[in-house]
Amino acid sequence: MSHDDFEIEPVEGLPERPPKGEQILWQGRPDPWALACGALSLKWVAGYFTLLAAWRFTTVVDLLPLGQAIGAAVPYLLLGTVVCALLWLVAYVQARATMYTITDARVVMRIGAALTLTINLPYTQVGNAMLDMRKNGTGTIALDTTGDTQLGYLVCWPHARPWHFKKAQPALRCIKDAERVAGILASAAEARVTRPEVARAPVSPNAVAAE
C-alpha cells in the first residue's frame, strides 16, 4: 500500500504511470446507491424507522384523534429520513473518492475519502476472485489474496467482502456491469499467471575461467 497526500496522480486512480508495456483494461467506481444499500444497509435502516413510526401510530391511534396519532409518528419518519440521507452522503463521498483499476498485470484500488490509500495487487498474489451479482446488474468482485499479503478489514472497508474479518478480502464493491468486469479480470489474470518468466542465469566464475 502507498499513500501521499501531496502527490498529484499522473493517471487517475494510480500513484504513478504504469510501467512500459502495462495496459489499463478497465477503470470504474462503486455505484453510490448500490454502495449505500449493500455496504451501509440503507434499506434496512429505512425499514427500521418505518416500523418505529408504524408502531408509534398503532399505540396511540386508539387514544388520540387520527391527526394527532399521525403527528406522533412523523418524528420517527423525519429522523429516519435524516439518517438515510447521511448514509447516502457517506456512500456518495466514498464512491467519488474511489477508483478501481484493472490492468494486464494487477488490480489497483485507490480508496478512502479522509485517508487515501492505494492498494496494488499483482495477479501472482491473487489466489481466487469471487463475483456476487445483484438483480440490478451491479456486483462485487472479492479477491482472495495469497502468500504474505495481509490486509486489515477496517483498512479496506467498505471495499472488502462482508463478514470476512480474520482474513480480509479486498473487493471491487458495487460496480456496474460487474459480470463483464469479472470477465476482463479473469482473462487478464489467467494470461498473466500462465505467462512464463524468463530470467538470466548468473554466470559462473568457473565457466568464465574455462573460456
Side-chain angles (χ1 to χ4, degrees):
M1 294 186 294
S2 61
H3 167 58
D4 189 341
D5 284 330
F6 304 100
E7 183 178 2
I8 299 176
E9 294 176 337
V11 178
E12 187 179 11
L14 299 178
E16 57 188 14
R17 294 190 180 278
K20 185 177 180 180
E22 183 178 358
Q23 295 183 350
I24 297 176
L25 305 178
W26 174 87
Q27 284 189 307
R29 292 183 168 93
D31 178 80
W33 176 253
L35 188 65
C37 295
L40 303 178
S41 304
L42 187 146
K43 290 185 177 179
W44 287 97
V45 173
Y48 172 75
F49 281 99
T50 300
L51 287 176
L52 282 181
W55 169 80
R56 180 59 176 169
F57 174 78
T58 55
T59 57
V60 300
V61 68
D62 294 334
L63 306 175
L64 300 174
L66 181 60
Q68 293 183 16
I70 295 175
V74 166
Y76 294 94
L77 296 177
L78 293 178
L79 181 59
T81 300
V82 172
V83 173
C84 290
L86 291 175
L87 290 176
W88 186 89
L89 179 62
V90 170
Y92 178 81
V93 172
Q94 284 282 353
R96 293 302 302 173
T98 297
M99 178 61 73
Y100 302 135
T101 303
I102 296 176
T103 76
D104 56 1
R106 55 181 170 154
V107 177
V108 184
M109 301 170 59
R110 195 276 308 276
I111 62 175
L115 178 62
T116 302
L117 300 174
T118 301
I119 300 175
N120 285 281
L121 293 173
Y123 293 129
T124 53
Q125 297 179 11
V126 178
N128 195 16
M130 290 73 66
L131 172 62
D132 180 18
M133 284 292 300
R134 299 299 179 181
K135 294 181 180 179
N136 61 2
T138 63
T140 294
I141 304 174
L143 305 175
D144 185 14
T145 58
T146 61
D148 297 331
T149 305
Q150 297 291 333
L151 298 171
Y153 186 87
L154 293 179
V155 172
C156 296
W157 188 91
H159 312 279
R161 187 179 182 184
W163 309 113
H164 284 67
F165 303 112
K166 186 175 182 180
K167 184 182 179 183
Q169 296 181 1
L172 311 185
R173 197 79 189 268
C174 302
I175 57 176
K176 295 181 179 180
D177 203 8
E179 190 170 7
R180 180 182 69 85
V181 177
I184 295 174
L185 174 60
S187 298
E190 182 178 4
R192 187 69 180 186
V193 172
T194 58
R195 183 184 304 174
E197 296 289 340
V198 179
R200 184 182 296 273
V203 179
S204 171
N206 295 330
V208 175
E211 292 179 358

